[in-house]
C-alpha cells in the first residue's frame, strides 16, 4: 500500500475511534462483583409471553361466552314474542284461558263420533270449545253451542268443522254456567233456542 493510501486509512480510523469514548480501566475482579444493571426497556421471555397470551385468550373466551349468553336470551325473547304475535285469535284465547288461575276444562264424547273439550275461566270471562274428529254434517246444518243456566239455554255461538272434523269456538263474554250443550241445527232456522238433536253435554260447574 502506498504512503498516501495508508495515511487515508489512518485518518479514517482515527475519525471513527474519536467518536467512541474510551472505556475505564476496571480490574476484572471489580467488574465481576458489580451489581447487575437494571434495564428500563421491554424485557420478555417465553414464559412471560405464554402467560400473557393465556390471559388475553381467557379474556376473549370470557367475552365470547358472555355475548353468547346475551344473544341466547335475546333470541329466546324474540322467538317468544314472535310466537305470541303470530298466534291465531283462537290459540291466543286458549292460551289466555290456560294461564288463568281458575282455568278448568272438561272433555266429552260426541254422539255420532268425535270429542269436544271445553276450556274456560270465569275470571277471564272466556270459554274455548275445541272439537276434534267430528263427522261432517249435511248441507244446511250447523252445530250450535248453548250455555245452560238454571235450566235455561243461552246461545253461545255456532261452528262448522273442517275436513278433519276439527273446529274451535271462542266465547269471549263467558259467564259462569251449569254446563254446555251442543246441538245440530238448521243453519237458516236458528230460533234462539235449541230445536235440533243434542249431541254433547259438557259440565262447566
Amino acid at each position: 500500500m502506498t504512503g498516501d493510501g495508508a495515511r487515508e486509512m489512518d485518518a479514517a480510523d482515527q475519525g471513527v475511534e474519536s467518536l467512541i469514548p474510551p472505556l475505564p480501566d476496571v480490574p476484572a475482579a471489580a467488574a465481576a462483583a458489580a451489581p447487575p444493571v437494571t434495564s428500563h426497556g421491554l424485557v420478555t421471555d417465553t414464559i412471560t409471553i405464554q402467560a400473557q397470551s393465556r390471559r388475553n385468550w381467557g379474556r376473549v373466551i370470557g367475552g365470547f361466552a358472555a355475548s353468547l349468553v346475551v344473544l341466547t336470551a335475546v333470541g329466546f325473547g324474540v322467538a317468544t314474542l314472535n310466537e305470541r304475535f303470530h298466534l291465531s285469535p283462537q290459540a291466543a284465547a286458549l292460551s289466555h284461558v290456560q294461564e288463568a288461575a281458575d282455568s278448568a276444562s272438561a272433555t266429552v264424547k260426541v254422539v255420532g263420533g268425535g270429542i269436544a273439550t271445553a276450556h274456560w275461566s270465569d275470571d277471564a270471562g272466556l270459554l274455548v270449545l275445541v272439537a276434534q274428529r267430528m263427522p261432517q254434517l249435511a248441507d244446511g246444518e250447523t252445530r250450535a253451542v248453548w250455555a245452560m243456566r238454571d235450566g235455561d239455554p243461552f246461545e253461545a255461538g255456532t261452528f262448522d268443522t273442517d275436513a278433519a272434523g276439527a273446529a274451535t269456538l271462542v266465547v269471549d263474554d263467558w259467564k259462569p254456567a251449569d254446563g254446555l250443550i251442543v246441538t245440530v241445527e238448521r243453519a237458516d232456522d236458528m230460533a234462539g233456542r235449541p230445536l235440533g238433536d243434542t249431541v254433547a253435554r259438557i259440565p262447566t260447574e
Side-chain angles (χ1 to χ4, degrees):
M1 180 178 295
T2 64
D4 293 339
R7 283 193 296 272
E8 291 176 358
M9 295 266 314
D10 291 341
D13 291 341
Q14 291 175 1
V16 172
E17 291 176 356
S18 64
L19 298 177
I20 302 174
L23 295 175
D25 188 10
V26 180
V37 177
T38 302
S39 173
H40 296 285
L42 179 62
V43 178
T44 59
D45 54 28
T46 303
I47 296 177
T48 303
I49 292 173
Q50 289 177 346
Q52 184 64 38
S53 298
R54 283 195 294 270
R55 286 194 294 271
N56 292 339
W57 184 245
R59 294 190 187 100
V60 171
I61 294 297
F64 176 77
S67 299
L68 185 61
V69 170
V70 172
L71 289 175
T72 300
V74 171
F76 178 77
V78 170
T80 302
L81 289 175
N82 186 60
E83 181 181 357
R84 289 278 185 174
F85 281 121
H86 286 80
L87 285 177
S88 67
Q90 293 88 349
L94 180 58
S95 177
H96 187 47
V97 168
Q98 292 176 332
E99 291 173 357
D102 66 337
S103 176
S105 65
T107 300
V108 299
K109 291 183 178 180
V110 177
V111 175
I115 61 174
T117 303
H119 304 265
W120 70 92
S121 165
D122 294 342
D123 290 346
L126 280 172
L127 179 138
V128 181
L129 180 68
V130 179
Q132 295 174 286
R133 302 190 299 276
M134 285 189 176
Q136 298 297 310
L137 296 178
D139 291 342
E141 291 183 330
T142 188
R143 290 183 174 91
V145 180
W146 311 84
M148 303 299 296
R149 297 187 181 94
D150 297 327
D152 295 326
F154 296 86
E155 184 180 349
T158 62
F159 67 91
D160 297 312
T161 59
D162 60 16
T168 302
L169 173 68
V170 177
V171 181
D172 56 10
D173 57 349
W174 173 253
K175 298 177 178 61
D178 303 328
L180 298 177
I181 64 172
V182 180
T183 63
V184 177
E185 305 288 342
R186 289 181 54 182
D188 60 352
D189 189 23
M190 293 290 294
R193 64 184 185 278
L195 299 176
D197 295 334
T198 297
V199 294
R201 294 181 182 273
I202 307 173
T204 59
E205 293 181 303

